[in-house]
Amino acid sequence: MKQTLVIGSTVADIIIGIKNLPVSGSDTNTESHDIKLGGCAFNVSEVLRHISIPYLLCSPVGTGPYGEFVLKECKKKGIDCFHHVDEPNGCCYCFVEEGGERTFVSHHGAEYSFDPAWFESIDMSNVDSIYVCGLELEVDTEGKIVTWLENQKNVDIYFACSSRINFVNPEHVNRLLRLHPILHLSDKEAELYTGKMNPAESAEILSGYTDNTVIITSGVRGCYCRERQPDGAFVSIGVPAVNTVVKDTIGAGDAHIGAYIAYRKMGYSVSNAALLANTVSGAVVSISGANLSDEQFAALNIPVNITKK
């Protein structure tokens, strides 16, 4: 099996538990405080690792306390640093309310850097898919990522739009959409991008831009898939969620797309890949933070790649 390149950030997630988000000028105490490894790209790569899918985490690491934290935690997992950047690494403040909903306040740093030269040593003939997040496109104001993607051939591009999609240069977004990526986004993100509250309407609009499959997650309602068939027609599929008790929703979307990529590479249908992705993301929201331990993932008792080659 060929590799998946996972392009994006690895950061320190500073998880702050509070009863409710404070209003301006108020004074409140935390319920809990923790720091864990996170970042969209890292979260996706962790799911690929759990399922034994070949991947390369293309995530630069910077300096400072957060850079040191990332390097230390990655070393524990046997993950080599993709590229060192001589500027401070950022972090993400994750405010988690009693109901489990999260609010992110991100401090961007070296982890959002991108230089095409870093990829020159990669054997692209051994790569069949690439994950990229809209957060990276927002920071990459010169459009380096899109330009690099335009030069890649015979790969599936998975684009996680993110809630910041409307802050990305529209020209860069349109260029990326013309590469026919598989889009993955939440129902809230889809509404922000299309103005439609109904995922089915959003998916129809988005698939018109990409002429490819669109996956829209909807929390307890599962996910909605608009699948492109080989003949160019589209089929709509609703995939139910799994029952779970929500601890926090950090990393739910990342886990979902990571699992979806993995199971599609293993030959599962769109609906079955989405169902297994619902299982993984359901498990992630039942814990604190974005990533399952090896033991927690094994307890799901779901398929993993046994070929590994």
Side-chain angles (χ1 to χ4, degrees):
M1 182 182 289
K2 293 186 177 182
Q3 278 187 320
T4 296
L5 298 188
V6 183
I7 298 174
S9 65
T10 300
V11 300
D13 278 349
I14 302 170
I15 304 172
I16 302 168
I18 52 176
K19 286 188 176 180
N20 299 103
L21 283 177
V23 298
S24 179
S26 64
D27 187 355
T28 188
N29 295 330
T30 65
E31 300 290 311
S32 60
H33 181 281
D34 201 359
I35 180 168
K36 296 184 178 183
L37 201 57
C40 294
F42 175 76
N43 298 341
V44 169
S45 75
E46 269 293 271
V47 176
L48 296 178
R49 183 184 67 82
H50 283 308
I51 305 175
S52 296
I53 299 297
Y55 74 92
L56 177 62
L57 175 59
C58 305
S59 191
V61 181
T63 60
Y66 299 127
E68 291 173 3
F69 174 82
V70 168
L71 288 174
K72 181 183 71 174
E73 294 301 309
C74 283
K75 185 176 181 180
K76 289 180 182 177
K77 293 177 174 291
I79 301 171
D80 294 329
C81 177
F82 178 67
H83 190 83
H84 288 278
V85 178
D86 190 20
E87 61 180 85
N89 214 86
C91 66
C92 182
Y93 299 95
C94 311
F95 296 93
V96 179
E97 298 177 78
E98 279 188 323
E101 186 57 88
R102 93 296 184 274
T103 299
F104 293 153
V105 179
S106 299
H107 175 67
H108 290 171
E111 73 278 9
Y112 284 95
S113 304
F114 181 89
D115 188 337
W118 301 341
F119 294 77
E120 290 176 357
S121 62
I122 297 174
D123 178 8
M124 291 303 296
S125 67
N126 191 39
V127 173
D128 63 4
S129 49
I130 300 171
Y131 161 90
V132 66
C133 177
L135 295 174
E136 275 66 37
L137 264 64
E138 178 190 358
V139 178
D140 177 27
T141 56
E142 297 179 30
K144 293 179 182 178
I145 294 175
V146 175
T147 299
W148 182 81
L149 289 172
E150 288 171 334
N151 291 317
Q152 309 312 311
K153 308 299 180 185
N154 303 316
V155 295
D156 291 323
I157 298 174
Y158 290 87
F159 180 38
C161 298
S162 91
S163 60
R164 303 282 300 178
I165 186 65
N166 289 331
F167 293 87
V168 180
N169 185 324
E171 177 190 350
H172 298 165
V173 175
N174 291 335
R175 285 168 56 196
L176 179 53
L177 296 180
R178 286 195 290 270
L179 299 178
H180 310 294
I182 296 96
L183 296 185
H184 186 282
L185 63 172
S186 71
D187 48 6
K188 292 180 181 178
E189 292 165 352
E191 183 181 350
L192 282 172
Y193 192 30
T194 67
K196 303 295 184 181
M197 295 182 65
N198 187 321
E201 293 182 71
S202 291
E204 184 174 1
I205 292 171
L206 294 169
S207 64
Y209 296 154
T210 63
D211 193 31
N212 209 341
T213 297
V214 177
I215 309 295
I216 299 178
T217 60
S218 296
V220 296
R221 293 183 295 277
C223 67
Y224 179 89
C225 309
R226 182 170 169 83
E227 179 188 359
R228 187 187 190 280
Q229 303 292 295
D231 63 1
F234 283 87
V235 174
S236 298
I237 310 163
V239 182
V242 298
N243 292 325
T244 189
V245 176
V246 177
K247 177 73 172 180
D248 71 51
T249 56
I250 299 170
D254 303 332
H256 195 279
I257 189 172
Y260 181 81
I261 293 171
Y263 288 114
R264 288 294 285 155
K265 286 171 68 78
M266 289 171 63
Y268 285 75
S269 67
V270 166
S271 58
N272 285 336
L275 183 61
L276 287 162
N278 286 354
T279 299
V280 176
S281 61
V284 166
V285 301
S286 72
I287 64 165
S288 175
N291 295 289
L292 299 169
S293 68
D294 291 348
E295 294 75 17
Q296 289 168 331
F297 189 89
L300 298 178
N301 196 29
I302 56 178
V304 297
N305 178 34
I306 58 174
T307 62
K308 297 186 182 180
K309 293 183 178 179

